[in-house]
Amino acid sequence: IETAPANSEDSPLAQCLRSEMKQHLVQAMSVLCKREKQVLSLYYFEQLTMQEIASRLALKNSRISQIHSAALAKLRTHLESREGSQPGGGA
């Protein structure tokens, strides 16, 4: 009991699942073009707004939104197709 994690997020299973998800995400990122990676990085890691990204990249806010949406759709498609190809994954 003394060595059990206080939080279920710290359990070995949770850590393993997080690590596996990170690996899948890195692989999925390989399907994105340079601009899509850049927009996601600025939005999620540097936490810039769409307007700030648009200003930095000299694009319109609507274009940044389109790039962001396309990147997320590509990631979702890649991750879902990978999930379905895993043993025991999918329906």
Side-chain angles (χ1 to χ4, degrees):
I1 300 259
E2 292 176 12
T3 60
N7 185 343
S8 63
E9 295 284 322
D10 297 330
S11 74
L13 176 60
Q15 291 174 2
C16 180
L17 291 174
R18 268 195 310 275
S19 175
E20 187 176 328
M21 186 55 157
K22 285 180 186 178
Q23 289 173 352
H24 291 308
L25 190 54
V26 167
Q27 290 172 350
M29 291 287 287
S30 69
V31 303
L32 301 179
C33 70
K34 180 181 176 184
R35 181 61 48 103
E36 291 168 333
K37 288 178 189 177
Q38 188 176 27
V39 168
L40 291 184
S41 176
L42 290 170
Y43 189 75
Y44 291 105
F45 295 108
E46 295 189 31
Q47 298 182 338
L48 298 181
T49 65
M50 295 283 184
Q51 185 62 46
E52 291 168 328
I53 297 168
S55 178
R56 185 177 284 189
L57 300 180
L59 296 170
K60 293 187 177 193
N61 196 33
S62 59
R63 182 65 185 129
I64 296 301
S65 182
Q66 290 171 344
I67 293 168
H68 179 261
S69 295
L72 292 182
K74 282 184 183 179
L75 288 176
R76 188 177 300 114
T77 299
H78 183 81
L79 290 171
E80 287 172 352
S81 69
R82 182 154 174 72
E83 181 180 290
S85 68
Q86 294 289 323

